Amino acid sequence: MIYVFKTSVETEKDVQRLRPSLNVVIPLAKWTFDLDDCDKILRVDTPAGSPETIIRTLRNTGFNCEELAY
């Protein structure tokens, strides 16, 4: 499944801070941030996991996150 999220992640340093948490909650996923996009898009390709878990993980780390229609 592919999920797309609008986030408030701004820098590569932010991505590095999130990396351990994302790898734990969605271990089989391929995920990328597009920090050049105005919505700071997070794309997640995962065979398992839920958008709610991803949103909660970012919010618990201090970032805004909302799922976008794909």
Side-chain angles (χ1 to χ4, degrees):
M1 187 74 179
I2 296 176
Y3 301 107
V4 180
F5 304 90
K6 176 181 176 178
T7 76
S8 64
V9 173
E10 292 286 332
T11 67
E12 274 301 317
K13 186 176 180 178
D14 294 339
V15 173
Q16 295 308 317
R17 196 170 108 206
L18 284 165
R19 183 176 306 282
S21 298
L22 287 174
N23 286 340
V24 167
V25 298
I26 46 174
L28 302 176
K30 295 178 186 174
W31 55 267
T32 60
F33 280 93
D34 183 352
L35 301 179
D36 293 328
D37 187 279
C38 65
D39 289 329
K40 309 302 182 196
I41 296 296
L42 167 60
R43 287 182 184 86
V44 179
D45 184 356
T46 182
S50 69
E52 294 81 14
T53 301
I54 296 164
I55 291 168
R56 184 174 45 252
T57 299
L58 266 75
R59 289 184 178 163
N60 287 344
T61 313
F63 297 99
N64 294 324
C65 182
E66 65 181 80
E67 186 177 12
L68 299 176
Y70 179 72

